[in-house]
Amino acid sequence: MKNSTKFIGGIFIILFIGFIWMGFNNSKGDVTGNIISENKDLKVSDQNNKIEIKGSDTIVQLVSNLAEDFSKNNPDTKISVTGGGSGTGIAALLNGEIDLADSSRSIEQKELDLAREKSLDVKEVIIARDMLSVIVNKDNKVDRLTIEELSKIYKGEIKNWNEVGGKDQKITLYGRQSTSGTYTFFLEHVVKGEYSENMRNLEGNQAIFEAVKQDKGGMGYIGIGYLKEGLKNENNKIKAVDVSYDGKDYFSPLDESKINDYPISRGLFQYTKMKPVKGTELYDFIQFELSEQGQKIVEDSGFVKIANSDKQKNNDVLG
Amino acid sequence: MMFLVKGLKINKEKIIINIFLIVSVTTILILLGIFLFLFFTGIKTFNEISFKEIFFGTDWNPTAYGEPSWGILSLLVGTLIVTLGALIFAIPLGIASSIYLAEIASPKTREFLKPTIEMIAGIPSVVLGLIGIFFLSPLIAGLFGLSNGLNGLIASFIVGIMILPTIISVSEDVLISLPKEFNEASLALGATKWQTIKMTLIPAALSGIGGAIMLGLGRAVGETMAVLMVAGNSRGMPTSILDPVRPITANIAIEIKEVVSGSLHYEALFLLGLILFVITFCVNVISEIIINKQTKKYKW
Amino acid sequence: MVKEKTKEKFYFNIFRICMLFTIFILGFILLYVIINGYKVINFRFLTTMWNHQDITQGGIFPAIFGSILLGIGISIISIPIGICTAIYISEYAKENYFTNMVKISIRNLAGVPSVVYGLFGLAFFVFLLNLGTSLIAASLTLGCMTLPWIITSSEESIKSVPNSFREASIALGATKWQTIKKVVVPSSLGGMLTGSILGISRAVGETAPIIMVGATFYISYLPTSPTDKFMALPYHLFILATQHSSPDAKAYALGTALVLISLTFIMNLGIFIIRYKLRKKKEW
């Protein structure tokens, strides 16, 4: 009995360690750091009545609203929406886990290369537009900044509000986590350098809103949906800063007539693994998002409807 | 007939024992496998990043605009600040409370208080984090004249609350388990209750209390959610407790969502998990050894 | 002597104050959550589906449902296996260095942070076994996390059954298994159950692992199969606090916290009752 116990135990141990070792050696790493395990087959997660969506926290509420409305008329479709950041969404899409990736930044070249390696034909749809807003506490004298000043502030080169026309107060920087598309977008289009290491990395748009509300020296960046929602309710705590490219003309993110002039505007995207097939739930859902009804929800959620040029691009993709 | 029945009986025994054996071995292997998993995934990081850069670098920035950097020192310091801060808060309060429970309170009070303290342990850390963001953070910001309340201090305070029940109940168990003879002898010699506690009981229970503190430390190191919500999570090296901190646990929870399986960032996060595992496991083993020494010493 | 007496009074009062402060902290937490959260609680809040566009129209039922399913899943996975392992370790395994090491390892695995289990669950259940982020992956991950706890508390419970019971049983001619089945297990059942419920209630309140292996922000349906996604109370609480922009979000977050705490409280109450009933039965 004792011997057979040892024998069984021994076999288990060998099998187990072998199993684990096999598991690790299946994933290869590379210097750019964006490779996926080859051994996983793509999960066919588009069983016809399930749509799994993951990605940007900026538009997670918007997409949830759209999903909710869509479900009312299509009760058999099972939709799930999760945040985690644009990076999370795209990674999950490439891993084959989801059907639709929400992203507040455009997909990067290395991600596209990866997709090609995995035989994925990633398609991009633009579902809304955002005027990324920079917010400060209402008590702050400063109400306009240039892109140059924003960049220096977020890099940590300008540390005090009095350097940009405010009172003598240290600037506290609030930003998102690196998983966030907003973080990446702001980094690449405004900061164009390294974020200051003193920037607080907060969990979501709302967290940034709350922080700047309480911090007289604070500054943060949030999607316009969150700005409008916040101003509706407690508009004596924060305000949005007018932004300018050149120091001459300043634009407010709330001014919808100047969408094209506002320096920090961006498209909000969704990515699919392949061209959406007519007749599938996924196709219907995307069409719904782009329809009058869907775009009304976009507006109600605080974002900006897509422009005609966007509509054209979408039509090319959807056919 | 008897013979047959006896034979069946013995076989049934064997089958049952073997079932138990197989279940147990599988379980134990899975649990130990956790360590192996972390280990084998984490060490792959060293294929591409040098030991020195990881353990002596101060900047953790895997998604940098320029070159990524992988130094864990600022993360370690973050964990250290929150853990030490929590202990500074919880040790005096906890030990004093446990002395009260063990030696001063009446049995009825003790019956009532013990489960009440256990309840603090049952509060999920998200809830504490919630109270931290909504209530404590503005409070501390106002108190210290800071512009905001997301820093190491508030994180330490909340983690301190979470480890309080651990310290209290283990210390109280240790004190109660001291032989009654100690109390009786000291009082018989004319000492007051306090003198007894101070000069006999506490020294006798010292290693046990040390064990309790270590257990609390282990829990503090591993706390994730509450810290994530209130610590500020900045990359920079914290210089004071009023700076935002980014402990290892919060860092893992934040960044794990964006990593692609198999990438360098993924492996680096597993390395962090491995480090965390090793720290907490060792702290717990040490505390167990200390507490065992305590019980062995005074087993009359 | 008088000086000694005053000194004693002084210190004792300090200790009393410390204890009071500790209780005060607990009381404050509960009061804060109750006062700020109860306004939101009503029948609709507890039983309707989540309405995203106007959260005042909907309820947190999917989150409650998800957490309960998760609790059931974890229980199914960890309680039988945990108790079996505890029985084997305590009753059958030889008392040698090896088994001692195993016992120490398991006891200390209970102290490993939940994030680490989350990492393991992600790598093993979600990726390696290809279960994706689903109810089953989350149940397995949290099940692994709860196992050491259940094994340890069951082991202690079994240890506390006096040897005289076992000896008496064997003396009457029972086999080892019969002894375990009819004597040891019934005597230690209470302790095993309380330990298990405690472990499960801890697991249901955990957020970090489910962020990594399962929970979603919004789903349009209720999870009906183990491979479905799910909403869960702790995660829902977390996103209401950090990501929702609705002005009611704060109140709803606290309402959800109240529900979560109540759930934990109910489970702990169950433990309390079991312990109390047991103490009455126990003779030794």
Side-chain angles (χ1 to χ4, degrees):
Chain A
M1 172 62 199
K2 240 201 299 196
N3 279 334
S4 60
T5 316
K6 281 193 192 159
F7 187 63
I8 297 178
I11 297 211
F12 263 111
I13 295 181
I14 298 177
L15 279 178
F16 191 76
I17 295 194
F19 186 52
I20 293 194
W21 187 258
M22 259 178 15
F24 297 115
N25 283 341
N26 272 328
S27 27
K28 304 192 188 135
D30 102 348
V31 194
T32 60
N34 256 345
I35 299 285
I36 303 158
S37 155
E38 280 185 342
N39 214 30
K40 291 205 304 296
D41 10 294
L42 291 179
K43 266 182 14 161
V44 183
S45 54
D46 33 27
Q47 307 156 32
N48 253 342
N49 63 344
K50 254 191 188 174
I51 305 181
E52 297 189 349
I53 311 180
K54 208 175 190 180
S56 165
D57 285 323
T58 305
I59 53 176
V60 70
Q61 298 204 72
L62 167 60
V63 177
S64 298
N65 286 339
L66 288 163
E68 191 168 75
D69 234 57
F70 182 79
S71 295
K72 290 201 192 118
N73 298 326
N74 297 274
D76 289 330
T77 313
K78 295 175 158 190
I79 312 185
S80 74
V81 184
T82 312
S86 310
T88 310
I90 296 182
L93 188 74
L94 297 178
N95 276 343
E97 288 162 34
I98 58 174
D99 303 297
L100 203 58
D102 294 334
S103 178
S104 63
R105 60 164 169 86
S106 42
I107 192 168
E108 295 172 358
Q109 190 54 46
K110 58 181 181 201
E111 288 164 334
L112 283 170
D113 293 337
L114 219 63
R116 207 160 298 133
E117 274 180 43
K118 297 226 74 189
S119 313
L120 293 176
D121 184 22
V122 169
K123 293 291 180 204
E124 170 183 292
V125 175
I126 175 170
I127 63 167
R129 290 207 144 260
D130 181 20
M131 319 259 261
L132 187 51
S133 314
V134 178
I135 54 172
V136 295
N137 193 280
K138 193 79 178 217
D139 277 355
N140 199 326
K141 277 203 300 184
V142 178
D143 61 3
R144 46 169 53 184
L145 290 165
T146 63
I147 295 272
E148 171 95 37
E149 289 168 327
L150 280 174
S151 166
K152 289 211 174 110
I153 293 177
Y154 264 92
K155 281 197 274 208
E157 290 168 18
I158 296 183
K159 297 199 217 268
N160 194 307
W161 283 110
N162 60 14
E163 296 177 60
V164 285
K167 31 185 169 171
D168 178 13
Q169 176 159 42
K170 256 182 36 184
I171 303 182
T172 327
L173 290 172
Y174 294 98
R176 299 283 304 283
Q177 308 284 8
S178 56
T179 46
S180 156
T182 313
Y183 170 104
T184 313
F185 179 84
F186 198 75
L187 183 67
E188 291 174 357
H189 290 86
V190 176
V191 184
K192 298 198 186 117
E194 219 54 79
Y195 274 118
S196 156
E197 59 174 24
N198 291 321
M199 179 177 86
R200 270 95 159 135
N201 301 71
L202 300 184
E203 270 305 295
N205 286 289
Q206 189 60 18
I208 295 188
F209 184 88
E210 292 288 329
V212 174
K213 217 172 72 175
Q214 290 168 13
D215 187 345
K216 300 223 169 77
M219 170 186 252
Y221 50 80
I222 58 177
I224 190 157
Y226 287 85
L227 174 64
K228 285 192 188 162
E229 191 70 39
L231 288 178
K232 251 195 265 175
N233 309 307
E234 297 163 89
N235 64 359
N236 26 6
K237 303 275 181 60
I238 66 152
K239 61 182 180 184
V241 157
D242 293 345
V243 185
S244 158
Y245 269 127
D246 49 12
K248 293 198 218 109
D249 299 307
Y250 286 85
F251 302 99
S252 160
L254 296 165
D255 188 350
E256 286 194 18
S257 61
K258 301 274 185 332
I259 298 181
N260 294 321
D261 298 309
Y262 183 71
I264 330 178
S265 93
R266 56 178 181 164
L268 296 170
F269 308 101
Q270 283 184 327
Y271 293 97
T272 57
K273 291 190 289 236
M274 54 186 148
K275 183 169 149 144
V277 176
K278 260 205 187 104
T280 56
E281 307 277 357
L282 184 61
Y283 184 87
D284 293 337
F285 180 63
I286 298 181
Q287 286 292 27
F288 170 75
E289 290 177 314
L290 302 173
S291 69
E292 266 307 307
Q293 205 183 340
Q295 289 294 301
K296 171 116 202 335
I297 296 182
V298 166
E299 261 192 343
D300 289 340
S301 307
F303 292 98
V304 178
K305 286 189 189 172
I306 55 179
N308 282 328
S309 50
D310 300 325
K311 285 195 191 144
Q312 190 54 43
K313 279 202 209 129
N314 287 337
N315 283 333
D316 292 338
V317 165
L318 293 168
Chain B
M1 193 53 175
M2 254 323 256
F3 207 69
L4 210 84
V5 172
K6 216 178 176 195
L8 277 170
K9 226 187 248 174
I10 293 181
N11 266 335
K12 193 169 142 196
E13 268 306 287
K14 256 199 172 159
I15 295 177
I16 291 184
I17 292 183
N18 273 325
I19 294 179
F20 275 128
L21 173 65
I22 293 178
V23 169
S24 312
V25 171
T26 319
T27 312
I28 295 171
L29 286 178
I30 292 186
L31 295 178
L32 297 182
I34 295 178
F35 172 73
L36 291 175
F37 234 87
L38 293 173
F39 185 73
F40 284 127
T41 317
I43 51 169
K44 280 192 188 163
T45 325
F46 292 120
N47 282 341
E48 314 206 19
I49 318 173
S50 76
F51 193 83
K52 203 169 108 183
E53 191 189 339
I54 295 182
F55 286 96
F56 292 98
T58 55
D59 195 19
W60 178 268
N61 199 357
T63 49
Y65 193 66
E67 270 298 303
S69 56
W70 307 90
I72 64 173
L73 274 186
S74 48
L75 304 177
L76 277 176
V77 170
T79 303
L80 198 69
I81 290 184
V82 170
T83 308
L84 281 182
L87 285 174
I88 292 178
F89 171 72
I91 292 179
L93 199 59
I95 297 185
S97 302
S98 66
I99 295 179
Y100 175 78
L101 265 184
E103 300 296 325
I104 307 173
S106 66
K108 268 211 184 135
T109 329
R110 193 182 304 139
E111 277 289 306
F112 168 70
L113 285 178
K114 270 210 94 156
T116 318
I117 294 180
E118 286 305 311
M119 279 190 62
I120 303 185
I123 298 184
S125 62
V126 243
V127 176
L128 283 172
L130 199 66
I131 300 184
I133 305 185
F134 288 151
F135 176 74
L136 278 175
S137 182
L139 188 72
I140 291 198
L143 263 170
F144 286 86
L146 300 170
S147 61
N148 69 82
L150 298 175
N151 50 38
L153 180 64
I154 181 178
S156 305
F157 183 65
I158 294 189
V159 177
I161 296 180
M162 301 192 70
I163 65 177
L164 208 52
T166 311
I167 295 185
I168 294 182
S169 45
V170 178
S171 302
E172 194 250 344
D173 280 341
V174 169
L175 282 169
I176 291 266
S177 73
L178 289 176
K180 289 212 175 52
E181 285 83 354
F182 281 29
N183 236 325
E184 292 165 4
S186 173
L187 289 173
L189 288 172
T192 63
K193 198 130 197 261
W194 165 236
Q195 282 172 321
T196 310
I197 295 177
K198 177 168 109 180
M199 294 190 278
T200 313
L201 295 180
I202 294 188
L206 213 50
S207 29
I209 295 182
I213 294 178
M214 292 232 82
L215 275 177
L217 192 149
R219 266 215 72 182
V221 167
E223 180 42 49
T224 317
M225 288 318 292
V227 169
L228 180 65
M229 292 161 93
V230 301
N233 302 316
S234 307
R235 269 177 24 235
M237 176 75 83
T239 49
S240 85
I241 202 172
L242 294 175
D243 280 341
V245 293
R246 193 178 176 106
I248 300 180
T249 42
N251 190 65
I252 296 178
I254 293 170
E255 295 185 358
I256 192 68
K257 294 176 289 185
E258 73 168 324
V259 289
V260 179
S261 136
S263 68
L264 183 57
H265 195 176
Y266 177 84
E267 293 164 359
L269 287 179
F270 269 76
L271 183 62
L272 283 179
L274 181 66
I275 295 175
L276 211 56
F277 182 94
V278 168
I279 295 179
T280 47
F281 196 80
C282 291
V283 164
N284 278 319
V285 169
I286 294 176
S287 106
E288 175 161 343
I289 295 179
I290 296 181
I291 296 185
N292 271 340
K293 219 172 60 168
Q294 168 79 34
T295 36
K296 284 218 173 88
K297 225 166 151 197
Y298 295 113
K299 239 194 195 143
W300 286 49
Chain C
M1 197 52 191
V2 176
K3 219 174 146 198
E4 280 302 324
K5 268 284 167 184
T6 37
K7 240 201 205 174
E8 180 180 276
K9 260 204 175 150
F10 174 67
Y11 278 107
F12 278 22
N13 278 328
I14 292 190
F15 294 155
R16 248 184 220 110
I17 293 178
C18 286
M19 185 79 250
L20 279 173
F21 187 61
T22 308
I23 304 282
F24 167 73
I25 292 181
L26 172 67
F28 180 79
I29 295 175
L30 289 179
L31 276 178
Y32 186 85
V33 173
I34 293 176
I35 291 182
N36 286 307
Y38 89 96
K39 305 177 220 155
V40 162
I41 309 258
N42 53 40
F43 191 67
R44 191 193 60 217
F45 181 73
L46 295 172
T47 55
T48 47
M49 294 294 290
W50 183 247
N51 187 323
H52 197 81
Q53 296 181 65
D54 182 2
I55 63 178
T56 54
Q57 293 300 320
I60 59 170
F61 182 67
I64 300 180
F65 188 69
S67 279
I68 292 183
L69 278 187
L70 194 59
I72 295 178
I74 302 173
S75 305
I76 297 180
I77 292 172
S78 55
I79 295 185
I81 297 184
I83 294 187
C84 272
T85 313
I87 294 179
Y88 182 79
I89 293 182
S90 314
E91 298 288 320
Y92 285 112
K94 307 270 181 294
E95 273 284 331
N96 55 29
Y97 188 69
F98 177 69
T99 37
N100 249 344
M101 281 287 101
V102 168
K103 284 187 198 169
I104 294 182
S105 307
I106 295 184
R107 216 180 343 253
N108 291 303
L109 272 170
V112 169
S114 57
V115 249
V116 177
Y117 284 100
L119 279 177
F120 170 71
L122 186 69
F124 191 68
F125 298 118
V126 175
F127 289 144
L128 194 68
L129 296 187
N130 222 356
L131 294 169
T133 51
S134 57
L135 199 55
I136 183 85
S139 301
L140 285 168
T141 308
L142 287 173
C144 281
M145 186 178 92
T146 323
L147 263 177
W149 180 278
I150 294 187
I151 296 178
T152 308
S153 59
S154 304
E155 193 205 338
E156 303 213 334
S157 204
I158 294 178
K159 230 176 18 183
S160 75
V161 174
N163 261 330
S164 46
F165 280 34
R166 297 187 183 85
E167 290 163 9
S169 171
I170 306 252
L172 289 170
T175 64
K176 188 141 194 195
W177 166 238
Q178 283 175 325
T179 310
I180 294 180
K181 184 167 94 172
K182 300 216 160 123
V183 176
V184 178
V185 169
S187 318
S188 53
L189 198 58
M192 295 202 275
L193 275 182
T194 51
S196 307
I197 299 181
L198 205 60
I200 308 279
S201 77
R202 251 191 63 200
V204 163
E206 282 292 339
T207 323
I210 55 177
I211 291 184
M212 302 186 205
V213 302
T216 61
F217 184 84
Y218 168 81
I219 44 173
S220 63
Y221 58 97
L222 284 177
T224 45
S225 98
T227 52
D228 281 340
K229 305 269 196 273
F230 62 102
M231 281 169 87
L233 283 170
Y235 186 63
H236 197 69
L237 182 53
F238 177 64
I239 53 183
L240 276 175
T242 55
Q243 282 166 23
H244 241 279
S245 55
S246 162
D248 305 294
K250 181 171 167 182
Y252 272 73
L254 285 159
T256 313
L258 187 55
V259 172
L260 184 59
I261 292 188
S262 309
L263 211 66
T264 321
F265 185 68
I266 294 177
M267 290 203 246
N268 277 332
L269 204 65
I271 297 177
F272 198 58
I273 296 179
I274 297 181
R275 245 192 223 158
Y276 185 69
K277 280 220 168 125
L278 269 187
R279 201 164 297 176
K280 290 214 150 158
K281 258 175 77 182
K282 259 189 182 173
E283 236 86 290
W284 64 89

